[in-house]
Each structure stands twice: as C-alpha cells, then as structure tokens.
Amino acid sequence: DVLMTQTPVSLPVSLGGQVSISCRSSQSLVHSDGNTYLHWYLQKPGQSPQLLIYRVSNRFSGVPDRFSGSGSGTDFTLKISRVEPEDLGVYYCLQSTHFPLTFGSGTKLEIK
Amino acid sequence: EVQLVESGGGLVQPGRSLKLSCAASGFTFSNYYMAWVRQAPKKGLEWVATISTSGSRTYYPDSVKGRFTISRDNAKSSLYLQMNSLKSEDTATYYCARQRGSSGNFDYWGQGVMVTVSS
C-alpha cells in the first residue's frame, strides 16, 4: 500500500497569514496514463470532507484562489494564503493512483 | 445541486450484518463511479469501496475484502454497502461519495451515517 505522510500534524496560524502543508508518498503517484492523482480535502469541524484541489494543482469549483497545490512524483504541497476563519479544520491528502486508495493522516489548522 | 443522503446506520453486535444505503440526486447517477469512505471516531479517513458506473467492477482494501459488498441500482440512483461479519474496528461514520473514475477524486460527499459495532 502507498503510505501518505503528512506534515505537520498541527499547524497554528494567525488569521491573514500563510501556511504550507506537506504530503509525501512512499512511491510515485504518476499513473500509467500520465496523470498524477493527488488531491487535497478540508474537513471542517462537524462536517463532511470537501474537495479543495484535485490532480495536484486544480482548484475545485468554488474554492478560492488563496488555496494552491503543487508538487510532483512523491512530494506535494498545499499552500494557503491570507488564512480566514473558515479555513480552520483538518486537511487531508488523498492518492488515487494506486489501489488501495490511501489518505494522509491529516493536518489540523488552528488559530495561534 | 448534487446531494448524497446516507441511511441505515445504527448499533449492531459483532459478527452481525448491516446494509447502508445512499440516495443520490442532482446528477446523472449512472455516469459516475461511486464509493464509500469511513472515519472512525476521532480518527482519519479510510477508503472502503468503489464501484464502476455499471456495477461490473468493484474495488476494496484488504481490511474489508470478503466481508463488505458495494452495489448500486442505477434505476433508483442508489448506492449500497452490505457489511457482514462486522467487527468493533468497523465502528465509524460511513460517507457515500461520488468518484471521478476509478482513479478519480471524491468530489461530493454525503453527510455520513454512524455505524457502531458493540455487544
């Protein structure tokens, strides 16, 4: 199974600040079709996860441009700029290149 | 508007069975792969099962293979998860999710349904 290592576990941030979350995979996420199936989710308290970024760097419908994704191969980053109160929660990365699909263990974004 | 509404959760004894349902609306259900993802209390997310558009292909992790069965009824826009031989470690909130192809992301999620396996 592909192990997804997310860091940090907890990320204190000041409103208006900028943060980065790292997600590293134990093997390359480049699919045989040439795409890289690495995605990012936010789970706000008491809610279902919501898709933020798909295939490394594509923002999902309605996601503000404060969120950006980058990376390749086994090393990926989610960057959040101008953090707002509604950004707080737990962020997860997901790889869907290889079965079984696997999630990172999560990064909790909280107010400093 | 895409809507996914799960039902069928509850308290069940170890070794018993339970069947979850997910009613979909707001999109052409038969055009999409569908999946189940679960989250144990205070824990992270775990993929449980995926089914192709026609239902002819299904995928599971080893943790549930042979015990869980995903199925769908495209005429009813409904997704199901039959869970047999339940264990305490299956206790979780189960989410129904729309999946963009076999290698795709989960772009819409239901609100989740709680399953508690305990004697």
Side-chain angles (χ1 to χ4, degrees), chain B residues 17-88:
Chain B
S17 299
L18 197 65
K19 186 173 185 176
L20 305 181
S21 300
C22 171
S25 61
F27 65 101
T28 304
F29 182 73
S30 58
N31 286 353
Y32 289 85
Y33 277 60
M34 296 295 296
W36 290 95
V37 177
R38 68 183 179 184
Q39 185 171 36
K42 307 291 188 187
K43 298 294 185 182
L45 300 167
E46 179 186 17
W47 167 71
V48 171
T50 289
I51 189 167
S52 63
T53 53
S54 67
S56 61
R57 292 186 299 277
T58 56
Y59 310 83
Y60 307 93
D62 286 346
S63 58
V64 307
K65 194 177 294 183
R67 298 189 301 122
F68 289 12
T69 302
I70 187 173
S71 62
R72 65 191 297 161
D73 185 335
N74 285 343
K76 295 182 177 179
S77 295
S78 293
L79 178 71
Y80 306 101
L81 185 67
Q82 176 67 46
M83 303 184 292
N84 299 331
S85 303
L86 281 162
K87 307 175 182 180
S88 57

Side-chain angles (χ1 to χ4, degrees), chain A residues 56-71:
Chain A
V56 181
S57 59
N58 299 278
R59 275 187 300 277
F60 188 54
S61 174
V63 175
D65 59 7
R66 300 184 292 100
F67 292 87
S68 63
S70 62

